[in-house]
Amino acid sequence: MFVRELTYNHFMTSLCRQNMTNPTRLSDVPVAQQIPVVREIHGDRFTDPYEWMRDKDSPETTSYIAAQNEYCQQRLAPVMKLQHTLFEEFKSRVLETDMSVPTRMHGYWYFTRTREGDQYARQCRIPVKDVDDWTPPTIDALAEPGSEPGEEVFFDSNREAQGHDFYRLGGLDVSTDGRWLLYCVDTRGDERYDIRLRDLETGLDLPDHIDQVSSGPVLTPDGQWIFYVKVDQAWRPCSVWRHQVGCDVSEDVCVFEEDDERFWVGVGLSFDESMVVIGTSSKTTSEILTLSLSNPQGVFQTFIERQEGVEYDVSFASLPCKSPDGTESSFPVAVVYHNLENPNFSIRLIDMRIHRPPFSCDEGVVVAQGSPYGCEQVTTGREAGVDEPYYWQGNPAILQGSRGLSIEGMGIYQHFVLMSYRADSLLHLCVVSAQQAAQDLEAGQPWSFREIEPAGGDKNKMYSIAAADNPSYDAPTVRYSFGSYTCPAQLHELNVATGEDLLLKRAQVLGDFDPDQYCERRMWVKVRDGALVPVSLVWRRGTLSGLGAEPTEGLCSQVLSAPRSMHSGAWQSEGENTGKLVRPTGAPCFITGYGAYEIASDSGFSTGRLSLLDRGVVYACVHVRGGGEMGRAWYEQGRRLHKKHTFEDFIDVTAALEHSGWIDPHRTVANGGSAGGLLIGAVANMAPQLYAGIEADVPFVDALNTMLDPALPLTVTEWDEWGDPLHNPTVYRYMKEYTPYENVPDKEERSRKFGSTHFPKVLVTTSLNDTRVLYVEPLKWTARLQEEAVGADAIIKIEIDGGHGGTSGRYKQWEELALENAFCLSILTPDDPDLL
């Protein structure tokens, strides 16, 4: 009987693995009806057979979505056991019952609690003992929420989410006296929020209901007024409204409206809570308006008039000084952060005693500025490379000689000044006492910032560091967080005056986790046009034994060169859609990237990633152009008519890692989401021979069609990022060359270009209510991939109740991640015993 069971299990295992690679053994691939829709523009004609899927409510679309979801369930059935294993691994590493470190705001210490089994967190608070109480209270993390002396659970998302398949908060705001709570929620995933106001003394909501607006409303500190943002027909946040608490919503007043469709609007409070601040901005231009809370029904005043191509922000604070009579005093300042003089931003300090509105970007004193090297809108320095060291006499000493230097922002507190900057592709944080900053300002010398270095940190780690939990202007200490790919996040508190650094909390990883068993490395790849592109690698010690000695960890100056020829050779056709590696080499690799909007892919710890690393997978993050890792020039070289650099960088780094023996092309899976999904879709078309699999999350793969329709959400505002193909023929032709949906190569084309018909296996995810990347883009792309002439093995998972970030609730999100990782591991480690 044992032999018969073994034989049967072996047979079923073999069959299920075939089902993952050969869809003909299951129900047929859903065949999408083709209804030609012709697009004619700029002398070009394109026939789109799947545009009918844009009608979300049509019976044809809903039935096709249902068929694709059923097909996806059947195709992923062989990985369900592995998904369960991964989910249990995630849970086993996480302290499910936990709490955050209390943060002081006005008269309370605020913190969150999570409980085992709960999808969402509870918001809690405890009264501050006295005005000088800045030591966080000691609270039992395992105690029942609300059971500690004085503890109040003032908002429980688990209770609020009952009856909803999707639930996401868009903001919480509490009045200064702690009585009034403003909250807003999205229960569909479409990022449209309903605002409510609750009396925390009674626990009851007021009749004030403001529905289907943007996130981030503001409650004035006295709890009497709400400022919020409405959206237009294209779901663009476009106007700010004022609501008086207790009045009917029909009496609300529009206090600002943005007519330029490129601009999005937001509202908030100044750091000192003395003003309501409106920010309106496109991708390249911004403007700030302010209103004193001494007159909330007054008229907003522009701080600096908008100027095309100039981005700026402003905050308000005070610096210490001595009065004429020798007593200690302070003077008001405005901290203006802008890119008028320098593409990588300058910080100017305006003395509000001697300057009067309206202001301009050239007022005040420059405290710090970034590197202009390689940026578009400069004359001096443009010829220099992004990675050239930058020196400017007015900069603080710690900034001198930095490469790819960009100033990220500065905040002035009562006792200290914080500045964040990016250099050599990494984030940095520095601090100076407010007293010393005032003295430096008076002396006309660079400010004496000093670097905040992680206490007890290993310099070989690629840390991400940032200010955290510092909402109180008069706090005597600064809190900062840091972590890396292999170092779980830590929260520290630094006394700037004494230098004492206190660890407040270290994220716990349960089980047998040992950080010394994992390695991380940042090195560089010379790509086809000569640029040096950073790539971060993470692996479990011993995974790369095939390279000989364990590679050096940490920040490394090693440069790999992309091979000149990337023609296949590794894949030889076997049937319609599969391939066989001639000479396996290197480790399995999960490689990811983003590369858009000047967003940097910074290092961070992930308990979910451990499941990949422990199975011998190398994790690689390519810091392609289009992101912000090396400042503004890095972004400019990967947007608009330079967008192809983003794709070429990713391809060249992959090829360099494979060519050098680090990773195995037969076991390399590429991943990207949203704009990163565009990246992944493009590289799959341009270099399918380098990848065995693709995981594309909410991918922006029908980019050209979207950018041609100004009625769609985001389109007009996105022209500054991608270019305007509707009015510019050059942009149209350029985007048409790379937009993934329109460039999928069929088997014949792949054979001709790459020497085989191989195309990576594809898992696509999307959400029906996503308003950032509409579901129709990945749905059309999948239909194209599944065409017989293309012959790609593609499946799509469409979330019915979800948004751009997928489902809500931590356990649901872990299940989603576990499924995606299980699909990837079916390619990366096909002999995993948990694969049926």
Side-chain angles (χ1 to χ4, degrees):
M1 185 174 179
F2 175 77
V3 174
R4 290 182 60 192
E5 287 180 350
L6 179 63
T7 304
Y8 174 76
N9 289 336
H10 175 77
F11 169 75
M12 288 303 297
T13 299
S14 175
L15 176 62
C16 288
R17 286 179 178 165
Q18 289 178 39
N19 286 340
M20 276 300 297
T21 59
N22 186 356
T24 60
R25 288 189 175 270
L26 296 172
S27 63
D28 292 335
V29 178
V31 177
Q33 183 181 10
Q34 297 195 15
I35 304 175
V37 174
V38 177
R39 182 187 74 208
E40 291 191 68
I41 185 172
H42 302 311
D44 178 67
R45 181 183 176 92
F46 172 71
T47 301
D48 189 340
Y50 303 123
E51 183 61 18
W52 60 266
M53 297 179 186
R54 195 174 296 276
D55 186 353
K56 184 177 181 180
D57 298 319
S58 74
E60 292 80 10
T61 301
T62 54
S63 62
Y64 181 69
I65 288 173
Q68 285 285 11
N69 271 341
E70 182 180 358
Y71 176 68
C72 179
Q73 282 187 319
Q74 293 179 337
R75 290 297 315 284
L76 292 179
V79 306
M80 298 309 290
K81 181 183 177 184
L82 179 56
Q83 180 203 20
H84 176 74
T85 299
L86 295 175
F87 176 74
E88 292 301 323
E89 288 179 7
F90 297 170
K91 283 181 61 179
S92 70
R93 300 188 187 107
V94 175
L95 194 62
E96 296 178 68
T97 298
D98 199 5
M99 62 170 285
S100 66
V101 176
T103 299
R104 178 174 164 176
M105 290 184 288
H106 302 300
Y108 291 89
W109 290 99
Y110 289 89
F111 56 98
T112 61
R113 284 187 182 272
T114 56
R115 300 284 291 174
E116 183 177 354
D118 285 349
Q119 292 281 5
Y120 306 98
R122 289 175 168 88
Q123 307 295 327
C124 307
R125 66 183 184 181
I126 285 180
V128 170
K129 293 179 180 179
D130 58 66
V131 68
D132 295 322
D133 175 21
W134 288 99
T135 302
T138 301
I139 300 171
D140 184 358
L142 300 179
E144 187 69 22
S147 63
E148 294 286 281
E151 181 183 1
E152 174 189 359
V153 180
F154 68 92
F155 195 82
D156 182 357
S157 290
N158 298 284
R159 185 182 64 189
E160 304 290 339
Q162 289 178 7
H164 300 291
D165 293 321
F166 182 92
Y167 186 86
R168 182 166 294 158
L169 279 172
L172 288 174
D173 206 353
V174 184
S175 59
T176 300
D177 62 9
R179 176 175 178 179
W180 305 103
L181 170 69
L182 176 73
Y183 67 98
C184 62
V185 297
D186 169 17
T187 57
R188 285 174 46 84
D190 58 5
E191 299 184 59
R192 295 299 162 258
Y193 295 85
D194 297 335
I195 299 174
R196 301 291 183 265
L197 188 65
R198 181 166 295 173
D199 183 348
L200 293 179
E201 287 188 359
T202 66
L204 300 176
D205 286 352
L206 275 63
D208 306 64
H209 286 190
I210 305 171
D211 294 334
Q212 295 297 284
V213 296
S214 189
S215 62
V218 167
L219 178 68
T220 56
D222 60 7
Q224 298 301 305
W225 302 89
I226 297 172
F227 289 85
Y228 63 95
V229 178
K230 286 187 177 182
V231 298
D232 62 15
Q233 291 297 316
W235 292 21
R236 173 182 67 98
C238 64
S239 58
V240 179
W241 292 70
R242 182 183 64 235
H243 171 77
Q244 186 171 11
V245 174
C247 295
D248 192 274
V249 176
S250 63
E251 300 176 18
D252 290 1
V253 177
C254 180
V255 297
F256 176 79
E257 186 162 13
E258 177 59 72
D259 295 325
D260 192 327
E261 292 182 283
R262 299 174 303 156
F263 284 67
W264 276 27
V265 177
V267 65
L269 285 181
S270 61
F271 185 56
D272 61 2
E273 298 187 349
S274 67
M275 289 178 284
V276 180
V277 179
I278 293 175
T280 178
S281 62
S282 69
K283 302 294 184 194
T284 60
T285 307
S286 59
E287 186 176 31
I288 301 295
L289 300 91
T290 62
L291 174 68
S292 172
L293 281 172
S294 63
N295 181 22
Q297 293 179 278
V299 177
F300 280 83
Q301 300 293 322
T302 299
F303 187 80
I304 297 174
E305 294 286 344
R306 78 177 62 175
Q307 180 177 336
E308 188 66 32
V310 176
E311 302 167 62
Y312 79 90
D313 201 356
V314 61
S315 62
F316 303 91
S318 297
L319 281 175
C321 67
K322 287 188 180 295
S323 299
D325 61 3
T327 61
E328 294 294 330
S329 183
S330 63
F331 66 96
V333 295
V335 182
V336 183
Y337 168 80
H338 69 82
N339 66 346
L340 175 64
E341 304 160 313
N342 191 299
N344 274 310
F345 289 86
S346 300
I347 293 178
R348 280 184 175 266
L349 202 70
I350 298 178
D351 185 340
M352 301 292 281
R353 297 171 301 179
I354 58 178
H355 292 253
R356 294 290 181 267
F359 296 100
S360 65
C361 286
D362 59 358
E363 294 188 64
V365 178
V366 178
V367 175
Q369 71 174 22
S371 167
Y373 292 164
C375 295
E376 292 174 355
Q377 297 179 345
V378 296
T379 52
T380 303
R382 184 173 181 179
E383 67 283 353
V386 176
D387 56 353
E388 288 290 322
Y390 179 63
Y391 297 89
W392 179 64
Q393 61 181 5
N395 265 342
I398 61 170
L399 301 184
Q400 302 293 348
S402 296
R403 302 183 305 158
L405 174 66
S406 63
I407 306 301
E408 301 288 299
M410 191 173 83
I412 296 180
Y413 296 73
Q414 181 177 340
H415 300 288
F416 54 86
V417 180
L418 280 175
M419 184 170 70
S420 176
Y421 67 97
R422 184 177 295 277
D424 299 294
S425 80
L426 299 175
L427 281 170
H428 297 261
L429 187 65
C430 56
V431 66
V432 63
S433 70
Q435 192 73 44
Q436 183 62 53
Q439 292 175 10
D440 291 338
L441 182 66
E442 184 178 359
Q445 63 189 26
W447 286 17
S448 307
F449 281 105
R450 66 178 187 269
E451 191 88 7
I452 296 180
E453 296 184 347
D458 182 347
K459 292 185 181 296
N460 279 331
K461 303 296 184 184
M462 297 174 288
Y463 290 113
S464 288
I465 186 168
D469 292 347
N470 294 291
S472 299
Y473 174 75
D474 49 352
T477 55
V478 56
R479 288 186 180 182
Y480 70 93
S481 64
F482 74 91
S484 76
Y485 289 113
T486 62
C487 174
Q490 296 184 22
L491 180 65
H492 283 246
E493 190 168 72
L494 174 68
N495 187 311
V496 178
T498 66
E500 180 185 9
D501 191 299
L502 178 65
L503 173 64
L504 297 179
K505 186 178 180 67
R506 177 186 287 112
Q508 292 190 52
V509 182
L510 304 182
D512 60 355
F513 171 73
D514 178 1
D516 292 335
Q517 291 301 308
Y518 301 90
C519 310
E520 57 185 73
R521 173 186 176 100
R522 170 72 59 84
M523 60 184 183
W524 306 79
V525 173
K526 187 174 184 180
V527 298
R528 65 190 71 183
D529 69 348
L532 294 178
V533 176
V535 55
S536 298
L537 299 166
V538 194
W539 68 95
R540 186 179 176 93
R541 198 171 299 279
T543 296
L544 295 170
S545 57
L547 292 176
E550 191 82 52
T552 305
E553 298 179 56
L555 302 174
C556 176
S557 60
Q558 179 186 5
V559 177
L560 300 178
S561 293
R564 292 185 178 182
S565 174
M566 297 183 201
H567 192 273
S568 184
W571 300 91
Q572 292 180 345
S573 295
E574 282 189 350
E576 290 293 315
N577 189 52
T578 59
K580 180 180 180 181
L581 187 68
V582 174
R583 186 179 58 84
T585 182
C589 178
F590 180 92
I591 188 166
T592 187
Y594 187 72
Y597 304 108
E598 205 172 359
I599 295 173
S601 298
D602 291 314
S603 60
F605 188 81
S606 165
T607 55
R609 186 189 302 131
L610 293 178
S611 292
L612 299 179
L613 303 181
D614 289 347
R615 287 169 170 80
V617 175
V618 172
Y619 175 92
C621 181
V622 188
H623 305 283
V624 293
R625 283 173 285 185
E629 284 86 346
M630 296 289 286
R632 178 54 60 97
W634 202 246
Y635 168 52
E636 292 173 343
Q637 292 175 23
R639 67 169 180 173
R640 298 178 185 168
L641 295 178
H642 303 294
K643 187 60 195 171
K644 290 181 185 176
H645 283 152
T646 303
F647 318 136
E648 293 164 353
D649 289 353
F650 194 91
I651 290 168
D652 288 359
V653 170
T654 305
L657 292 173
E658 292 177 354
H659 185 73
S660 63
W662 279 74
I663 64 175
D664 177 359
H666 195 228
R667 296 181 295 164
T668 293
V669 173
N671 162 260
S674 196
L678 166 64
L679 161 64
I680 297 306
V683 302
N685 292 342
M686 296 167 65
Q689 76 279 12
L690 298 180
Y691 308 96
I694 294 289
E695 183 203 330
D697 299 316
V698 292
F700 182 45
V701 283
D702 195 15
L704 181 54
N705 271 327
T706 295
M707 288 298 101
L708 285 169
D709 189 350
L712 293 176
L714 305 180
T715 291
V716 176
T717 62
E718 295 289 279
W719 282 344
D720 283 332
E721 176 74 20
W722 310 101
D724 176 5
L726 181 62
H727 302 101
N728 189 321
T730 301
V731 172
Y732 176 87
R733 287 191 292 270
Y734 187 79
M735 290 191 71
K736 185 173 172 60
E737 290 176 357
Y738 72 71
T739 187
Y741 171 60
E742 298 181 25
N743 287 281
V744 175
D746 59 25
K747 286 182 285 189
E748 182 179 340
E749 184 180 356
R750 297 199 299 272
S751 181
R752 185 174 64 254
K753 283 186 176 180
F754 308 111
S756 94
T757 61
H758 167 76
F759 195 84
K761 297 178 177 66
V762 182
L763 171 64
V764 186
T765 67
T766 187
S767 295
L768 204 55
N769 295 325
D770 191 342
T771 56
R772 296 183 182 235
V773 178
L774 300 185
Y775 74 93
V776 69
E777 294 200 31
L779 194 63
K780 288 168 60 177
W781 183 49
T782 304
R784 170 65 177 144
L785 291 171
Q786 292 173 343
E787 288 178 5
E788 185 176 355
V790 175
D793 183 3
I795 50 180
I796 182 169
K797 181 177 179 289
I798 305 122
E799 190 65 49
I800 303 303
D801 297 298
H804 193 60
T807 58
S808 65
R810 58 175 178 165
Y811 291 105
K812 290 182 181 178
Q813 291 171 345
W814 295 349
E815 289 172 353
E816 193 174 79
L817 177 61
L819 180 61
E820 293 162 3
N821 282 1
F823 166 82
C824 294
L825 286 169
S826 71
I827 301 168
L828 295 166
T829 57
D831 294 326
D832 192 302
D834 281 328
L835 283 168
L836 293 177

